[in-house]
Amino acid sequence: MTAPSIANTEQRVVIIDTGCANVSSVKFAIERLGYQVEISKNPQVVLAADKLFLPGVGTASEAMHNLEQRDLITLVKQITKPLLGICLGMQLLGKQSQEHGQNGTDLVPCLGLCNAVVKKINAPELPLPHMGWNTITPQPNHPLFNNIPVGSYFYFVHSYAMPVFDHRDSDGGQTIATTTYGQAFTAAVQSGNYYGVQFHPERSSKAGAQLIKNFLEL
């Protein structure tokens, strides 16, 4: 029988200070698991971290502008430890996004850490944003979803999404969980040490707390 994992709460956990509104709620969710966490954009602090979180709310164009203003674009690309992008933070890991203000047609260059283009959800019969609770279908046996029951619900708020994709052979990452809202889209992604979830684990009750715990224990 496999021994239960023991959380290393002495890890250095950093939330990258993107200036977005959900930083505090992510911080509280991590602290509830017994970890100390720092919010920072200092390169020395960021690059010394054991685990990192990249939160984001708003539009891709605004978020990339904020990252540029805070000298974070190159810094995020230098990270070699596990990083978890949340909601828009996950979308920023892609190559490009259609989410340019209210336009929705121009492509915004993103971080290019996985080989995917974020597009507006094609669900003409359903309201946008996709807001509320929905289930995910994770990749079997992926450690990010350990001890999360099949059919668990997570909280989503978004109008744009990554398509389902798999570019493992080209180091472009892959979808590791899907959700359906009019069409299937990527609910979670991994490209090397970069992970992302489209939903808000910090607002997703026990399943979300377990996912954050799993990430911190990777």
Side-chain angles (χ1 to χ4, degrees), residues 144-211:
L144 197 61
F145 303 101
N146 282 347
N147 300 314
I148 296 175
V150 174
S152 293
Y153 281 81
F154 291 86
Y155 189 80
F156 291 82
V157 184
H158 64 117
S159 297
Y160 292 77
M162 283 186 184
V164 178
F165 73 103
D166 186 346
H167 294 295
R168 284 174 293 179
D169 293 341
S170 61
D171 295 325
Q174 63 173 318
T175 296
I176 57 173
T178 61
T179 293
T180 299
Y181 188 76
Q183 63 181 122
F185 62 85
T186 295
V189 66
Q190 180 185 359
S191 182
N193 60 300
Y194 295 94
Y195 300 78
V197 290
Q198 180 59 67
F199 47 85
H200 285 273
E202 77 281 8
R203 299 174 65 182
S204 296
S205 192
K206 290 182 180 179
Q210 182 65 50
L211 185 136

Side-chain angles (χ1 to χ4, degrees), residues 13-34:
V13 181
V14 172
I15 300 172
I16 298 174
D17 186 4
T18 57
C20 73
N22 66 329
V23 169
S24 294
S25 59
V26 174
K27 180 175 184 287
F28 295 148
I30 298 167
E31 289 175 338
R32 283 195 293 269
L33 295 169

Side-chain angles (χ1 to χ4, degrees), residues 16 63-79 109-113 194:
I16 298 174
M64 288 303 298
H65 177 72
N66 287 344
L67 292 183
E68 183 178 13
Q69 292 294 104
R70 291 168 178 255
D71 295 323
L72 288 173
I73 293 177
T74 300
L75 180 61
V76 171
K77 293 180 179 182
Q78 292 174 338
I79 290 168
C110 294
L111 294 169
L113 295 166
Y194 295 94

